[in-house]
Amino acid sequence: MTTLNRPGAPDGHACGIDTAMEVIGGKWKVLILWALHEHPGRRFGELRRLLPGITEKVLASHLREMEADGVVHRVSYDEVPPRVEYSLTEDGTRLNDALQPLAAWGRERPTPQRAGRRAGGTM
């Protein structure tokens, strides 16, 4: 996912979080990272089953973007039928590890506050 450069920094990023969000932005990328962390070396169909609700088009697009960003490794085996497996790169593993405190925060957050927000409550 490419974002437009922002003023204020030579590379267009305001901070490290800005850079990270460029790699993991969107609904599915963090869940793809989690799935590959929990189930390394998965094929496309297996990943799709691990992520109910994701479309083939979105999964394929995100995997290509994440491979280009260096967080997902794609191995294509010369077999019949063709076999392709996806896993996390070292950078992908580091990124997933960095997201663990965010996951803990989400798990520990009180449920009533979450329910109130969905029902039109305030932040």
Side-chain angles (χ1 to χ4, degrees), residues 103-115:
W105 178 85
R107 283 189 301 274
E108 294 165 4
R109 190 150 186 234
T111 304
Q113 191 175 16
R114 225 179 293 149

Side-chain angles (χ1 to χ4, degrees), residues 14-108:
C15 66
I17 291 175
D18 188 24
T19 305
M21 289 306 296
E22 192 170 297
V23 175
I24 62 168
K27 176 180 178 179
W28 295 105
K29 287 186 178 180
V30 174
L31 297 175
I32 294 168
L33 278 171
W34 168 83
L36 287 173
H37 173 76
E38 293 289 315
H39 309 279
R42 293 299 164 165
R43 296 173 74 170
F44 184 89
E46 293 170 321
L47 280 174
R48 184 145 185 251
R49 283 188 291 280
L50 289 170
L51 302 165
I54 195 168
T55 65
E56 285 186 27
K57 180 180 177 180
V58 169
L59 180 57
S61 171
H62 282 351
L63 286 169
R64 278 192 301 272
E65 290 172 6
M66 294 169 79
E67 184 182 8
D69 288 331
V71 294
V72 168
H73 181 68
R74 179 183 187 271
V75 177
S76 181
Y77 295 92
D78 191 21
E79 298 176 352
V80 176
R83 178 169 59 113
V84 177
E85 290 183 351
Y86 297 91
S87 59
L88 294 179
T89 63
E90 186 177 328
D91 246 9
T93 299
R94 288 179 49 232
L95 177 57
N96 201 55
D97 290 345
L99 291 169
Q100 290 301 325
L102 184 60
W105 178 85
R107 283 189 301 274
E108 294 165 4

